[in-house]
Amino acid sequence: PNLRERFFLYVLDKSKLQRMKTSSSSSGSTMDLMAYVDFRNRYESTVTVHKDLLKAQRMLWKTMLQPRSIDLMSVSSLLVKISTLESKASNAFAALVERYPKNIKALRTHAKFLDEVKQEADA
């Protein structure tokens, strides 16, 4: 084969190798755009619930540590809010980790939730 034919064969071989690499790596840990958008939406809503839960816990402790008398109605409503948010966050994290079990960001945030909220540092 002449120089042009050899170059053509070289380009074909390189493109075939590139396609094989991308097809084998796409089945691994990469996400397409729709999966990434879905992950970001789920992740952001889960983190928002986690932050709301931490705010509610902080408000409970502020209320409990006030030097004046404790308002039992506000404590009761905060406890209900904390319970509801904890259940909602647990369900959201379970769904996120079930959907993206190999995503480091999701796993790290779930571990942080377990440590901060549920005091399960071993999980």
Side-chain angles (χ1 to χ4, degrees), residues 33-44:
L33 180 62
M34 293 301 290
Y36 177 74
V37 170
D38 179 56
F39 169 75
R40 289 300 302 173
N41 288 339
R42 288 175 187 258
Y43 178 79
E44 291 298 326

Side-chain angles (χ1 to χ4, degrees), residues 45-53 82-96 110 113 117-118:
S45 65
T46 303
V47 168
T48 301
V49 173
H50 181 195
K51 287 181 181 178
D52 290 344
L53 176 57
I82 288 170
S83 176
T84 303
L85 286 172
E86 186 176 344
S87 172
K88 191 175 179 181
S90 292
N91 292 338
F93 273 114
L96 184 68
H110 185 238
F113 166 75
V117 176
K118 297 209 171 208

Side-chain angles (χ1 to χ4, degrees), residues 50-94:
H50 181 195
K51 287 181 181 178
D52 290 344
L53 176 57
L54 293 175
K55 285 179 190 175
Q57 287 179 338
R58 201 167 30 252
M59 285 300 299
L60 175 68
W61 283 109
K62 276 186 179 180
T63 303
M64 296 294 285
L65 296 174
Q66 291 294 325
R68 57 179 164 63
S69 64
I70 297 173
D71 181 21
L72 292 179
M73 290 303 289
S74 64
V75 170
S76 176
S77 67
L78 282 171
L79 287 172
V80 168
K81 184 177 180 179
I82 288 170
S83 176
T84 303
L85 286 172
E86 186 176 344
S87 172
K88 191 175 179 181
S90 292
N91 292 338
F93 273 114

Side-chain angles (χ1 to χ4, degrees), residues 101-118:
K102 294 182 181 179
N103 189 294
I104 299 298
K105 194 170 190 177
L107 294 173
R108 186 176 293 135
T109 309
H110 185 238
K112 186 176 178 183
F113 166 75
L114 291 174
D115 185 38
E116 291 176 347
V117 176
K118 297 209 171 208

